[in-house]
Every structure is written in structure tokens, then in C-alpha cells.
Amino acid sequence: MIKDEEISRHNMKIVERLQPAKPQQEAHPQQESIIALPYVPISEPKATLKPNPKPNLNSEKTRIEISQQEKEVLMNIYSNLWIGIVERCKELNLSIGAGSRTIDSLIKKGFVTPWDIRTTIKGRATRFLEISAKGYIVLNASPHIYTRGANYPHTCFQNLIARHFKKLPNVIKVEIEGSLGNNSKCVDVLIRMQDGKYIAIEVAMSSVNEHSNTIKDLEAGCMAVIIVCENAKVLASVEQILAKIDPEGKQTSAVLLPQVLKCKSVEELIGGAL
Amino acid sequence: MIIDNGIGNFINFILPFVSLVSTQLPTVMELIKVIHDNRLDADPINLGLIRAIALGDTSKIAILLRRIQPKILWKQLCCSPFQEPDDSVDGPIRIASNEQNKPVGIYPYEPHVLLAGQTGSGKTTVMLLSFVQAIIKGINTWLFTKSTEIRNLLHATERIFFVRFQGLEKIGSLLTHPFLPRSAWANIWADIFCQAFAIYDGTKNFLIEHLNKLYALNPNPTLLDLYNQIKNSKYPLMSREARYRESALNRLGGILSSGLGKTLEPSDVELVNLVESSINIVWEIQYLTIEQQVFIVNLLTAWLFHYKLHLETEKIHFIGLDDGNALFDASFEHRPDRGLPEISHLVSMARHAKIYLWACTQIPHQMGASIHSNAFTKIMFSLTNGKDIDCMINSMGITDKAQREYCHRLKEREIVVKFSGRYTAPFLARVPDLKNYGGQ
């Protein structure tokens, strides 16, 4: 019987004979080059959460190169944007070291933009990844559309909050960008409790619109408004605003994301209104 | 008088001659019939004697009978009850030799061959022999096989590519067709997918909808793109769409994580390049699940059918199926809820695209009607199950009792062949023994 190795050698010969002539390109001995696409410049997202290292796009030549493992990780990021590196490595059956190295390589090549978001009170921030325009080109896939023109961290906050609230008791519906009526304002995350009460959760990247947002949510019929702030600075200014609207703090509350993700019931965040 | 026992056939045959010789002289027409039925008309002396008898010389009758009787008796004692075929059974692709050691062959343009026989009876050997001859004659071939025996084709030609479905060879996603509009191919793809993986109409339409959406975003999608596209779609948990989504993701996930998924990845040299370059392909499907085997064989056959139909080429293409039951299983035709299988349509239409199928089976009674009805050549090897033998006897239209009985005791390498044209009576033949040649 003809062995597998002989068949492989023979197949290789056929493939080489049929392969179209490729233009010469720089040798990359460490990685197998599988995709070659024209370089498209991208604009860097504006955010205060901008972490290190920054994607070094200036070093790009006229071609984009990506290894099979990098492509698999990129595919995984595309299919699930809202998980951290540890969870992602588990999904991909990769060790955390190997996964981190691949992700660092993707960041260096500019396929993804990292965002360090603090999800726990103690410990390090969790690294989330946003696919860049260049990454979408490599995947040959349509870009994700974030909620109502918001940027990645805002949408990430919304998704993390929604995911957490779905697990809590007495919550029967969690809706991102939900609204109470036809003409009423959309709430970042709208929660419906078992007793029919609605709770609005607003994500505050800055305190600029939070005064009007809180009043509109309360007018629309929400029993309570929880404002999840990006950092302590925003939290302090939002607390000042809320003190004017609801001095007793029964209907409104300003918190940081780790507090939200730690809570085991809605009452922990806004006990007065419920 | 009819004697119906073991030796009865012999006596029944002898009786007319006894009467011819002893009681009354036979007529010219009776003699002509006997000579013709026993293929003794090739002898010019016999023809000369018949001519003399026809002109009134009755003394030649005894001479003629003395000439032909020993040959007829010998034939009756040593040969099968099948008639001796004429020379028209020979063809350019030779598969066996008949009882008189004359070649039996098939013409490449005679659509579809069905080979039925128990394991080890020589089906694959005959198919391999035929395909080697076909390749030498410049006919393109695809062979779907579950054994590595077919790898010996490499000794016959260098222009052969082996796809082993272990991720070592990549042929492209097959989610698009080079000639068909994307929406048309999406329908065919979804049809085959749903028939192979036993999922229902709802999921089929769900898949078609997502495939069309995917084409709008990405003209050359991969299976992973389709998987992601469906995975990223959001439906209320209690809705029907959520069930369809779950079914589709489950099957696609299975494909993607197996060797089939890795084979259906994009590559520099894809299926279309191989076909354009007239490379013969051996598809080793033994490591796929049964459903995946059905899916890929159907999909590739459909792909080639539409490819060749569009090109309107006169070039013949052989497709060999080592285990035809995977594709032509009768149960596929007995599902009114799923409609007629795609392959039934292909078998009846493949002739227009110059695609000719060679299907081997060990269980012919479980084969669908489409191949039994459309096979020009039917070859029966030794079979052990009476149900299978009866199925083949009926399929070949063997009505003679002695012939039917003989089919139950076919010896090693003996085959019964039945063509639907040229020479239409069934006849016995013998396939060559390749064991003496080391299986090569």
C-alpha cells in the first residue's frame, strides 16, 4: 500500500505545479504567511482608556501578514467581543502564555486595539479587545456596529452590565438600548423586574449628559436610575449632579463597574426605590 | 415432458435432439434456430450445410447434426445456462472475459454502472481496472473510496490528487460556484446540507437566508464565516428561529471541528483549479462521519454537474463510488417530508453533463430506485444474502429459471453482466485475477 508520506509528497508536487506564480515578498521565517491584502490605514479610537502598548501601524509595509493561530484568535475575538483574555484562552484551548503572546502580536500588527477595563475592585484590569479596520479586512467580515454610535468601551460596559444583570434574581428582562415607550428616550441598559418595575442603567464616560439623562429616565417611568461611571473622577462629579436631583438617594445611585459586577441583587445597588 | 430436478436441465435439453434424430427429421427453421442459439453460425461449414438442406438435400441433415451435437452437449455439460453473447459485448473499457474467453467491455458514453457483490468479490478491482483504462484514454475521474487500495492508481498516472479529509489538503469552501449565481448555489447547498444532516425545512430556509446575507457582506465566504454569521445573529430564546439557529450551528460546528472543515478551507489551489487542469481526484472519505460522507459526496457531485453543464463540454467524467449505499440509500427516497434527494435528480441528469457514475454496493436491495433504473450496465458478483440476489436478478430482468438458480451459486470472480443496449440478454463473464500481480 502506498503510504501517507508518499501521497503527501505527490500532492505537494501537484499543488506546486498548479500554484499561481506569486510576487516576491519579504521572508518571514517565524510565521507561515497565509493572507496577503493591501494595507488600509485606520484611525485610532479616542478614549481615555487608551492602554499600552499602542499599535505601531507606521512600521507596516504594503502587505499584511497573519499566522494561522493569529487568525483563529482573531476569529474568536470577532465572534465574542466581550470576554477577557483568560476566558478567551480557555475557549481556544490555549495556555494563557501562548494566548497572550498571540494577542500581543495581533496588537503590534494593528489587527486589534486593547482596552483595559477594571471589572474587579482589587487586582488587575481585564483586557478587552476591539477589532480594528485592518482586522476586519483580514477576516473578510463586516465590522461590528456599536450601539447608537457609541465607542467600544461604552458598548463593552453595556454588555458586561447586561450579562451580569441577567443572572440576578427577580430580573426577568434585560435590554440594551431599551425604551419604555414609542417616543421615550433609549436607556443604555433597561431592566424589568419581576414585579413590573423598570430600572434604568446609564453608562457615564463623562458627566456631561448625566443630569438630563437621569431626569428623562425618571420621567419615562423608571423606578430607579443607576449610573455606572468609568472612573472615580466621573463618579465624583456624577454624585454631585445626583445630589441635586435626588438628595435622599432613594431613586438614583452612582457606582463604578466593579461594584455592579460584584452585586448579587439589584437591591444592593438601589435598595431605596425597591 | 418437463423434468424439474438437478439433472433435468440436461435431459430437457437433450430431448429435442433425440426426437430430431430418431423419430422425424427436423425442419430447416428448427436447425437454424438451434445453430443460432448456440452461436454455431460462425462456422462456414455449418452455414454451407444449412444452405444445402434448405435447397432440398436432406442427406446433409445427419452430417450437420453429427457436427453440432457434441459441441452443444459439451456446452450444456460444462457451461452456464446463460447464452453465449455475440461480439457486441466488447467495448473500449474492458472489464472481464466471457465464457468463450472473448473480451467484455464498456463504452465510456454509456451512463452509469452498478456493481453489486459481497466484500472481497472484486468490485473495487473491476472499478480500479476500468478507471485505469479510462485515465489512459484521457477520461477525467473522481473516486470516492473508503479503502487505501485505490492509492495504487498512482502507479498508473501522475495526474492524480488525493484528498484525505484530514486537513492536509484544502479545496476551498464550496459555498460558491464558479458559474452559478450565488443565490442559486445557496439553494442547492442548503438542500444537500439538510438532506445529509437530517434537518428540516425551517433550518434550510434559515440557512439560505443567512447565506444570502453573508454573500452581501463577503462574496467569497468560508464555512467559518457562515458559522460566525449565524452565531452573531440574535433571536428571542423561545422563538423558532432560535431552534433553527441551534440546529444549523450544531451541524456547522461539527463540520468545522472535523477534518472536513479543515479541507473546506480556502487555498491557493482549490477544486476549480484541479478540475480546470484535468487532474484526477481520489477522495478518501473513510474518516468522515456517515452524514459528512453523504454531504460531501452529494455536494461535490452537484458542484461538478453544474460546472460541466455550464461549460457544455464533450469531455466525459467518471465518478466512482466505492460504497454506493452512502449516496443512493433507498431510505433517502422514502422521506416524503424532505422531497426527492438531490442525487436522484443528478443521476437522471448527469448524462447531460457527461458525468457517468460507477456505484459499487454490497447491499443492492438497499439502493434507491434511481441507480437501478438509470444504470446502463449492471454487474452482479457473488452475493450471500438471498434478498440481494433476488434484487439484482429482478433489476437485471433475468427470467429464466436455470439462470436465476445459477445466480445463487456464482463462483469466485464470476460475474453476471447485463447491458441495456448493444446486447441486452444477461451473460456470464469472469474478471481477471489480479492477486498474481501483487494487487497492482
Side-chain angles (χ1 to χ4, degrees):
Chain A
M1 191 193 77
I2 298 173
K3 288 187 177 166
D4 270 342
E5 295 77 40
E6 199 177 329
I7 294 290
S8 297
R9 273 198 300 275
H10 174 77
N11 280 350
M12 193 68 80
K13 269 189 219 166
I14 298 251
V15 169
E16 277 169 12
R17 208 183 302 160
L18 298 180
Q19 215 154 22
K22 280 185 176 176
Q24 284 190 342
Q25 49 183 292
E26 281 182 45
H28 290 264
Q30 290 169 350
Q31 288 179 338
E32 184 197 354
S33 168
I34 59 160
I35 285 184
L37 290 165
Y39 164 63
V40 176
I42 60 163
S43 57
E44 290 179 32
K46 291 174 193 170
T48 54
L49 285 165
K50 195 72 194 158
N52 284 323
K54 287 181 182 175
N56 185 6
L57 297 176
N58 298 330
S59 65
E60 285 293 325
K61 301 284 167 57
T62 52
R63 307 190 78 77
I64 297 172
E65 303 221 341
I66 184 167
S67 70
Q68 184 62 37
Q69 183 162 323
E70 285 171 350
K71 196 178 177 194
E72 274 171 25
V73 174
L74 198 58
M75 282 287 186
N76 180 270
I77 297 168
Y78 183 83
S79 60
N80 197 351
L81 279 173
W82 317 116
I83 55 172
I85 290 179
V86 177
E87 215 175 325
R88 199 176 294 290
C89 291
K90 270 186 200 166
E91 265 191 19
L92 288 162
N93 277 336
L94 287 174
S95 69
I96 293 176
S100 304
R101 276 193 296 278
T102 313
I103 286 167
D104 285 346
S105 164
L106 285 172
I107 293 166
K108 273 181 196 164
K109 290 178 181 177
F111 294 124
V112 292
T113 311
W115 298 90
D116 289 344
I117 295 174
R118 189 165 281 281
T119 54
T120 52
I121 295 164
K122 290 178 183 175
R124 292 166 67 180
T126 308
R127 177 161 285 191
F128 293 88
L129 300 161
E130 179 187 9
I131 301 180
S132 65
K134 194 173 156 187
Y136 286 116
I137 291 170
V138 167
L139 288 177
N140 227 345
S142 55
H144 291 100
I145 298 163
Y146 300 128
T147 49
R148 286 160 46 90
N151 60 4
Y152 178 87
H154 186 276
T155 317
C156 185
F157 268 60
Q158 281 178 301
N159 279 279
L160 293 177
I161 293 165
R163 199 164 67 189
H164 180 73
F165 272 93
K166 277 179 189 168
K167 293 181 213 159
L168 297 186
N170 298 330
V171 173
I172 57 166
K173 194 176 177 186
V174 179
E175 210 178 340
I176 293 174
E177 294 295 329
S179 69
L180 282 169
N182 289 336
N183 299 320
S184 65
K185 173 191 168 294
C186 281
V187 180
D188 283 343
V189 182
L190 184 65
I191 293 164
R192 190 181 171 193
M193 303 297 288
Q194 210 161 23
D195 54 9
K197 289 175 184 170
Y198 284 94
I199 294 170
I201 299 179
E202 295 287 353
V203 175
M205 294 285 135
S206 72
S207 58
V208 179
N209 298 318
E210 294 319 309
H211 185 267
S212 59
N213 277 348
T214 312
I215 289 171
K216 278 179 190 169
D217 289 343
L218 292 171
E219 281 174 357
C222 290
M223 291 305 295
V225 180
I226 301 168
I227 298 177
V228 183
C229 303
E230 186 201 326
N231 53 36
K233 194 179 162 190
V234 178
L235 178 71
S237 60
V238 169
E239 274 175 345
Q240 283 178 7
I241 293 166
L242 293 183
K244 289 176 195 167
I245 301 168
D246 178 25
E248 292 177 11
K250 282 186 179 174
Q251 278 190 295
T252 58
S253 158
V255 288
L256 290 170
L257 183 65
Q259 286 172 270
V260 177
L261 300 183
K262 196 190 166 193
C263 75
K264 289 181 180 157
S265 68
V266 183
E267 288 80 0
E268 274 184 40
L269 296 173
I270 187 89
L274 305 169
Chain B
M1 180 178 67
I2 299 290
I3 301 165
D4 192 9
N5 57 31
I7 202 161
N9 294 329
F10 172 65
I11 295 173
N12 287 336
F13 183 81
I14 290 296
L15 279 175
F17 291 104
V18 174
S19 65
L20 279 178
V21 176
S22 62
T23 54
Q24 94 187 69
L25 291 175
T27 63
V28 178
M29 289 310 292
E30 282 169 339
L31 283 169
I32 291 173
K33 190 172 182 308
V34 168
I35 287 176
H36 178 264
D37 285 352
N38 291 285
R39 302 272 170 244
L40 297 169
D41 46 4
D43 187 342
I45 298 173
N46 291 348
L47 292 178
L49 287 168
I50 280 282
R51 189 165 175 270
I53 295 163
L55 291 170
D57 187 355
T58 51
S59 64
K60 296 285 189 294
I61 294 177
I63 301 170
L64 181 64
L65 288 176
R66 273 201 299 278
R67 275 186 71 80
I68 63 172
Q69 268 178 346
K71 287 177 186 168
I72 293 172
L73 286 171
W74 171 254
K75 197 179 164 199
Q76 182 60 28
L77 285 169
C78 306
C79 297
S80 71
F82 291 95
Q83 278 185 24
E84 185 187 327
D86 57 29
D87 292 339
S88 67
V89 295
D90 192 13
I93 296 174
R94 287 178 171 164
I95 53 168
S97 54
N98 67 12
E99 288 179 279
Q100 288 69 40
N101 269 333
K102 288 180 183 167
V104 176
I106 292 171
Y107 284 88
Y109 52 79
E110 291 169 344
H112 315 321
V113 179
L114 175 64
L115 302 111
Q118 68 185 61
T119 176
S121 56
K123 302 181 300 294
T124 312
T125 308
V126 167
M127 194 158 74
L128 201 59
L129 253 180
S130 312
F131 274 50
V132 168
Q133 295 174 69
I135 289 169
I136 291 167
K137 288 180 195 309
I139 295 168
N140 282 340
T141 55
W142 279 9
L143 248 166
F144 294 92
T145 176
K146 288 183 179 176
S147 73
T148 48
E149 197 184 330
I150 301 289
R151 288 183 181 180
N152 286 327
L153 272 178
L154 194 54
H155 295 299
T157 177
E158 283 263 296
R159 296 183 66 76
I160 192 159
F161 190 74
F162 293 85
V163 181
R164 288 166 288 176
F165 293 105
Q166 293 171 13
L168 301 166
E169 298 85 22
K170 298 183 195 305
I171 57 164
S173 70
L174 302 185
L175 280 177
T176 55
H177 192 275
F179 297 126
L180 285 190
R182 283 182 162 69
S183 56
W185 180 247
N187 292 348
I188 295 169
W189 190 93
D191 248 340
I192 293 171
F193 186 87
C194 292
Q195 276 169 11
F197 291 102
I199 41 182
Y200 285 92
D201 253 9
T203 314
K204 188 199 290 184
N205 295 322
F206 179 85
L207 272 169
I208 292 171
E209 183 191 333
H210 278 277
L211 266 173
N212 285 320
K213 273 186 194 169
L214 190 61
Y215 290 144
L217 298 168
N218 182 354
N220 292 307
T222 62
L223 275 179
L224 188 60
D225 292 337
L226 178 62
Y227 181 84
N228 285 331
Q229 158 87 14
I230 294 173
K231 198 171 183 186
N232 288 333
S233 60
K234 296 272 184 289
Y235 296 100
L237 276 177
M238 297 303 289
S239 65
R240 279 189 171 197
E241 281 78 6
R243 302 285 166 269
Y244 301 149
R245 178 178 176 272
E246 194 185 330
S247 293
L249 283 180
N250 175 278
R251 269 66 169 192
L252 284 171
I255 293 179
L256 282 170
S257 58
S258 69
L260 177 59
K262 292 180 180 81
T263 305
L264 295 179
E265 279 179 6
S267 163
D268 285 340
V269 177
E270 295 191 346
L271 183 61
V272 67
N273 308 108
L274 292 168
V275 175
E276 274 171 4
S277 313
S278 302
I279 300 283
N280 305 291
I281 307 178
V282 173
W283 309 91
E284 292 185 358
I285 55 174
Q286 68 268 36
Y287 299 121
L288 302 180
T289 63
I290 298 294
E291 290 81 8
Q292 289 178 351
Q293 287 175 15
V294 175
F295 172 66
I296 195 66
V297 175
N298 269 296
L299 188 67
L300 287 167
T301 312
W303 188 96
L304 187 69
F305 171 74
H306 291 288
Y307 181 90
K308 287 184 64 75
L309 203 64
H310 179 89
L311 283 183
E312 294 179 0
T313 170
E314 287 300 311
K315 210 164 178 193
I316 290 169
H317 201 116
F318 277 179
I319 294 183
L321 302 160
D322 206 4
D323 178 12
N325 285 77
L327 196 61
F328 292 106
D329 200 294
S331 63
F332 295 152
E333 292 176 6
H334 299 155
R335 295 175 186 165
D337 51 333
R338 302 226 173 94
L340 198 65
E342 182 72 14
I343 193 68
S344 299
H345 165 73
L346 290 178
V347 171
S348 54
M349 298 293 289
R351 188 174 57 84
H352 299 293
K354 303 280 181 292
I355 295 174
Y356 301 129
L357 293 164
W358 291 59
C360 295
T361 175
Q362 293 177 14
I363 321 162
H365 84 269
Q366 282 184 4
M367 297 278 274
S370 59
I371 187 70
H372 279 294
S373 308
N374 287 298
F376 180 94
T377 307
K378 288 170 188 164
I379 300 172
M380 177 165 68
F381 293 76
S382 164
L383 286 159
T384 47
N385 186 351
K387 214 170 175 182
D388 290 325
I389 299 171
D390 290 342
C391 169
M392 281 310 290
I393 286 172
N394 291 332
S395 179
M396 294 167 106
I398 301 173
T399 50
D400 182 86
K401 197 177 172 194
Q403 290 178 0
R404 290 172 77 100
E405 278 175 6
Y406 195 89
C407 289
H408 284 263
R409 48 190 165 87
L410 284 175
K411 297 183 198 85
E412 194 187 357
R413 295 191 292 118
E414 265 186 355
I415 55 173
V416 178
V417 184
K418 166 83 167 70
F419 293 129
S420 299
R422 295 193 273 149
Y423 179 80
T424 51
F427 60 93
L428 197 75
R430 188 173 284 269
V431 296
D433 185 7
L434 293 188
K435 283 174 193 160
N436 300 334
Y437 301 93
Q440 296 182 4

